[in-house]
Amino acid sequence: MKFKVEIWNIFVVSMLLMSVYAALNPACSVMNTALQDSSSHLTSKLGYISQSLMSFVSMAGGLMAPPLRTVLGHRSLMVFSALLHVAVYVGMIVLTEWAVLLGSVVTGLGEGIIWVVIPNFVTITSEHKNIERNLSYHMFIYNLNGIAGNILNYLCLDDSTLITDSSRIRYFTVCTVLTVLSALLCGMAVCPPGSVDTELSSLNEDSDLRLITETVPDSTKLLSDSDKDEATDYEVEDNVPKIFKRRCIDFLSDPSVRALTISNMYFGAVCTLLVIVPMCISNTFENRHLIPLLGGTVGVSRLVTTGLFDWMARITSYTTLQYLQTIASVCWVTLMFLVFPNNSLHELTPGDLPLLPMGDWVVYLLGLLIGCVLTWLGVLVTVATGKVSTDVKTMQGFQPDVLFAYCMIVWSIGSSVTLAITPYVSLYMFTCLTFIGVVVNHFCFCYDLLPFIGRFVLRNVDDKPISY
């Protein structure tokens, strides 16, 4: 029965996340083009700014998630954060500068909250030995959004050369309805007996779920069993703020947390490909139907690679998957450098030629590579975050959702900075900076996170060892 409830929880919250982002991710991929094609004076530059603002504000959402979770509980907070995603669609329907920017701010808050509360929910409701498996299942269901959302794109964007005002209004209205309906799924979530927030009162009774900032009469209670030898160092610090400061420093200086900082920042930058590549395609090929075709190819690629991830981890290793991710990253960076004109990030390029002109088939190849990279990198980072969040010594007494919130903030920094600088850099400069990020992330992951995963992923549910 416990196994069935555990899987049911994963299915429900993953379907919620999939439905919300089946609307949001494809909508973000066409937002810049819709602004450029609209009859208003607004340009694609506003799209980059608004989406950068959305990513930046999601940092605040990530900070708000842990305290809001203690007040509302997981289920109520998931519903609330899902509904906040509607704001960006309302802004695109109204289509004024302030409406677009305000909608991005509100949606950014929802994005920051939902990406903390749902992975944390999956982690704490899973048995320790099943964490990596359940997170893989979660990402598999989530990645269905790439297929469902881009089918929606293809059906709603009926003009292959221009996104008309009527198409824009119809499209973002459908996204609004889909998001509201998906929020209702949260009411179906079932928590195992004794789990967190089965009832709201349980959060107040379970001291293990309280934030570290609570006042604790005896400072040694903040220590884990493995830290008892160092208890005397903390006993002299009766001031709780001093204990909190010291634990923050120890937490942030841990090698695995430093590695997660770099990897999540890089992951945030890579996720902007779902915005940047469609803009390059629309400016180079001037065929709006190639945008949902790219998204659909990415979606299929992500779905297949996510479904195969756990199986590949069993027969190969996490190290192999990381190397595959790096090789695929180098390939898509090189391909973008070759097949798009230098100014295709933010301008129409009817007279400019790339270094290596190619046909529409290159869109499918890019989609395949980007899907593989987003899946392998995303699952590796998520599994590493989940594993680190269960380590008492690394967490320094903080709860798991604190690490998820921290990673969400770092992810937001990488995403917002990338989107903010995109209108002001050339494609060639962008690809060079990305290549540096690929190399840094690879060595960071190999030296710190892969050994950490291997230290904790000792055996899976089938009692077969998983190598790292």
Side-chain angles (χ1 to χ4, degrees):
M1 178 62 183
K2 185 176 181 180
F3 172 78
K4 291 182 179 179
V5 173
E6 181 178 313
I7 296 299
W8 174 251
N9 281 333
I10 297 168
F11 174 76
V12 172
V13 300
S14 301
M15 285 297 295
L16 166 69
L17 198 64
M18 185 277 291
S19 302
V20 169
Y21 282 86
L24 184 64
N25 284 342
C28 289
S29 70
V30 302
M31 182 183 293
N32 292 3
T33 305
L35 288 169
Q36 188 170 267
D37 292 347
S38 68
S39 58
S40 66
H41 64 283
L42 303 178
T43 65
S44 61
K45 184 177 180 180
L46 176 63
Y48 281 120
I49 294 174
S50 64
Q51 293 186 61
S52 174
L53 186 63
M54 187 189 305
S55 297
F56 183 78
V57 173
S58 64
M59 291 189 291
L63 286 173
M64 293 166 57
L68 283 176
R69 189 263 304 159
T70 63
V71 176
L72 300 177
H74 281 86
R75 285 174 291 185
S76 298
L77 189 56
M78 283 188 278
V79 173
F80 174 69
S81 59
L83 292 176
L84 290 180
H85 287 70
V86 170
V88 70
Y89 311 135
V90 176
M92 287 300 295
I93 293 172
V94 176
L95 207 65
T96 64
E97 184 172 351
W98 286 107
V100 173
L101 294 175
L102 181 61
S104 297
V105 169
V106 176
T107 298
L109 289 174
E111 193 174 16
I113 294 171
I114 204 169
W115 274 105
V116 172
V117 67
I118 288 184
N120 180 64
F121 181 81
V122 173
T123 300
I124 64 177
T125 55
S126 302
E127 293 188 28
H128 187 273
K129 64 180 181 179
N130 296 334
I131 289 177
E132 74 279 358
R133 184 205 66 185
N134 291 347
L135 287 172
S136 296
Y137 290 168
H138 164 66
M139 292 301 295
F140 175 80
I141 296 175
Y142 163 73
N143 284 331
L144 288 169
N145 78 82
I147 299 175
N150 285 283
I151 290 175
L152 175 67
N153 269 16
Y154 194 86
L155 294 175
C156 292
L157 305 180
D158 51 7
D159 192 321
S160 61
T161 59
L162 191 69
I163 300 177
T164 61
D165 288 343
S166 60
S167 296
R168 170 180 52 81
I169 294 173
R170 180 175 65 251
Y171 173 71
F172 287 105
T173 300
V174 172
C175 290
T176 301
V177 174
L178 176 61
T179 303
V180 173
L181 291 177
S182 66
L184 300 178
L185 289 172
C186 284
M188 300 169 60
V190 178
C191 297
S195 175
V196 294
D197 89 339
T198 301
E199 298 293 341
L200 184 60
S201 60
S202 66
L203 289 173
N204 299 323
E205 296 170 357
D206 188 356
S207 61
D208 290 337
L209 291 176
R210 295 177 184 174
L211 293 177
I212 194 66
T213 51
E214 266 191 2
T215 302
V216 179
D218 185 0
S219 61
T220 59
K221 292 181 180 180
L222 295 174
L223 295 173
S224 62
D225 293 338
S226 61
D227 291 335
K228 293 300 183 182
D229 294 337
E230 302 176 6
T232 54
D233 296 334
Y234 285 89
E235 288 171 353
V236 299
E237 298 178 333
D238 294 328
N239 193 329
V240 172
K242 289 183 179 180
I243 299 174
F244 178 73
K245 180 179 179 181
R246 176 169 178 173
R247 289 191 170 276
C248 285
I249 294 173
D250 292 342
F251 171 72
L252 294 174
S253 60
D254 188 89
S256 60
V257 176
R258 289 201 308 265
L260 281 175
T261 301
I262 296 173
S263 293
N264 276 279
M265 188 173 295
Y266 169 71
F267 185 38
V270 170
C271 286
T272 62
L273 288 175
L274 298 175
V275 176
I276 293 172
V277 176
M279 195 64 190
C280 292
I281 291 173
S282 64
N283 283 338
T284 303
F285 296 98
E286 298 186 32
N287 184 350
R288 303 304 186 247
H289 267 164
L290 286 176
I291 297 176
L293 291 176
L294 169 76
T297 306
V298 172
V300 172
S301 176
R302 295 185 72 175
L303 186 65
V304 173
T305 50
T306 305
L308 295 176
F309 186 90
D310 189 57
W311 175 75
M312 292 178 68
R314 295 170 189 265
I315 66 172
T316 59
S317 65
Y318 280 97
T319 302
T320 301
L321 293 172
Q322 170 58 25
Y323 273 89
L324 287 174
Q325 183 272 131
T326 301
I327 293 171
S329 296
V330 172
C331 290
W332 75 254
V333 171
T334 304
L335 195 60
M336 283 192 66
F337 183 84
L338 294 175
V339 303
F340 292 126
N342 191 31
N343 61 341
S344 61
L345 284 176
H346 37 75
E347 296 179 11
L348 291 171
T349 58
D352 298 320
L353 294 176
L355 296 177
L356 187 63
M358 293 186 182
D360 293 354
W361 64 269
V362 74
V363 173
Y364 299 98
L365 181 57
L366 266 175
L368 175 65
L369 291 171
I370 292 173
C372 291
V373 169
L374 290 176
T375 297
W376 287 327
L377 180 61
V379 178
L380 283 167
V381 170
T382 303
V383 169
T385 305
K387 285 298 180 179
V388 172
S389 71
T390 62
D391 181 51
V392 176
K393 184 176 181 181
T394 300
M395 293 302 295
Q396 296 292 325
F398 291 103
Q399 295 306 310
D401 54 2
V402 174
L403 180 61
F404 282 105
Y406 173 74
C407 290
M408 181 66 215
I409 292 170
V410 174
W411 181 93
S412 301
I413 293 174
S415 178
S416 59
V417 170
T418 303
L419 288 170
I421 67 173
T422 299
Y424 306 102
V425 299
S426 66
L427 176 74
Y428 297 159
M429 176 63 72
F430 175 81
T431 52
C432 289
L433 293 174
T434 304
F435 181 78
I436 295 174
V438 170
V439 175
V440 172
N441 173 74
H442 177 75
F443 285 102
C444 175
F445 214 98
C446 287
Y447 281 104
D448 290 313
L449 292 180
L450 288 175
F452 192 94
I453 293 174
R455 192 165 65 243
F456 286 87
V457 185
L458 299 179
R459 291 187 177 274
N460 55 33
V461 68
D462 296 329
D463 202 32
K464 297 177 182 178
I466 292 182
S467 171
Y468 72 93

